[in-house]
Amino acid sequence: MRTTTKSALRRFVYSSGINRLTRLMQANYPRIIMFHKISSPGDENNTSSCMTTDEFSLILNHIRKYYSAMKIRDLITSKKCHGVFPKNAVAITFDDGFKSFYDLAWPLLRAYDIPASIFVVPDLVEKNLWLWPDRFSHLYHKGFKTFDNKGELHLLEELKKKSTDEREEYLAKISKASALSTSQELPETYKLMSWDMLRELAGSNLIEIGSHTLTHPILANENSAISWNEIH
């Protein structure tokens, strides 16, 4: 029912011309669209309900028709040089550097000739580690939810309020409680891009790569020294 209602609302917005009017009114303000990972349609491992390649392709087609796609660096440079942003500018960004970008998003971006900016976590790439939210999600779905009556999102929000040390202690505790580990081979859905993949992307005029901190902590929960090290 909810999906049907959303589809009807989208059809109304397109047919009414509101979309076109909004683009005209907001033409001088760039859009920045943030993604994390995408999946193939029908992917049984897609536990996070992330966007599919079909949906991403529709977005890229819409951008190519109505907007001027730019990398973040070019968007900033244009503003510095000319004092204003280009009209109808849009920047696509991907946080975390998941391998699904290389496998699924990158071929579509090439096909549509649309640039993107990726923000990666260098220490996790170097050590082939998981992002901590994925470690938690894996543990939760593989057994820990039977030990705790709190919902996954509620527990995740609690973890975001902890320091790195506190969070690692908690993850170790639930790993022990559920007799599971996150030290084995990473499931495909959690894998990050390798240095070789990132070097290949960096060689393309369509892709720029930036830092998403060193280890992906919640910076607001860390002291100044740790935060500086993560950012610098």
Side-chain angles (χ1 to χ4, degrees):
M1 180 64 181
R2 187 180 300 171
T3 302
T4 303
T5 302
K6 287 182 178 179
S7 297
L9 182 59
R10 280 196 294 267
R11 287 195 298 270
F12 168 75
V13 169
Y14 281 118
S15 62
S16 67
I18 294 175
N19 228 29
R20 186 166 59 254
L21 178 62
T22 302
R23 279 201 305 273
L24 290 172
M25 293 175 62
Q26 301 292 321
N28 294 324
Y29 301 93
R31 280 96 165 145
I32 298 177
I33 310 175
M34 180 184 68
F35 298 95
H36 284 83
K37 64 175 82 168
I38 64 174
S39 66
S40 300
D43 183 357
E44 295 180 355
N45 295 316
N46 180 16
T47 58
S48 59
S49 300
C50 59
M51 177 171 289
T52 67
T53 50
D54 289 347
E55 293 167 326
F56 188 56
S57 184
L58 288 174
I59 290 174
L60 295 181
N61 187 53
H62 184 78
I63 287 174
R64 188 170 62 176
K65 283 184 178 179
Y66 299 110
Y67 295 95
S68 175
M70 308 179 71
K71 290 175 280 191
I72 293 289
R73 186 190 304 274
D74 295 336
L75 194 63
I76 294 171
T77 299
S78 181
K79 172 70 171 178
K80 286 181 177 179
C81 292
H82 306 292
V84 295
F85 290 111
K87 285 188 178 297
N88 293 314
V90 63
I92 291 177
T93 71
F94 275 81
D95 277 0
D96 301 332
F98 286 106
K99 184 173 176 285
S100 65
F101 176 88
Y102 182 85
D103 292 337
L104 302 174
W106 172 226
L108 290 172
L109 289 165
R110 279 202 315 260
Y112 283 95
D113 196 32
I114 289 178
S117 304
I118 314 169
F119 298 95
V120 303
V121 189
D123 201 50
L124 302 191
V125 176
E126 181 70 22
K127 298 175 182 177
N128 195 31
L129 298 176
W130 310 32
L131 288 163
W132 73 259
D134 291 336
R135 290 163 56 205
F136 165 73
S137 181
H138 176 75
L139 292 168
Y140 183 87
H141 285 283
K142 292 297 183 181
F144 182 67
K145 64 181 175 183
T146 61
F147 296 89
D148 199 305
N149 58 10
K150 295 179 181 179
E152 180 182 5
L153 293 180
H154 178 79
L155 286 169
L156 188 60
E157 288 303 313
E158 286 187 350
L159 282 177
K160 288 180 179 179
K161 299 173 184 176
K162 298 179 181 293
S163 69
T164 297
D165 289 342
E166 292 170 334
R167 188 166 53 247
E168 289 301 317
E169 182 180 348
Y170 181 82
L171 289 172
K173 182 182 75 172
I174 66 174
S175 178
K176 182 178 180 180
S178 53
L180 290 167
S181 171
T182 58
S183 62
Q184 72 272 22
E185 176 68 16
L186 277 65
E188 192 69 22
T189 187
Y190 298 141
K191 285 185 178 180
L192 303 178
M193 286 184 280
S194 66
W195 287 128
D196 286 341
M197 293 174 184
L198 291 168
R199 289 188 190 97
E200 179 185 334
L201 294 172
S204 166
N205 290 330
L206 290 177
I207 303 297
E208 71 172 350
I209 299 173
S211 172
H212 196 44
T213 72
L214 187 63
T215 65
H216 203 274
I218 303 294
L219 290 175
N221 300 337
E222 306 296 345
N223 61 42
S224 297
I226 292 175
S227 295
W228 171 255
N229 185 58
E230 288 286 339
I231 295 168
H232 181 70

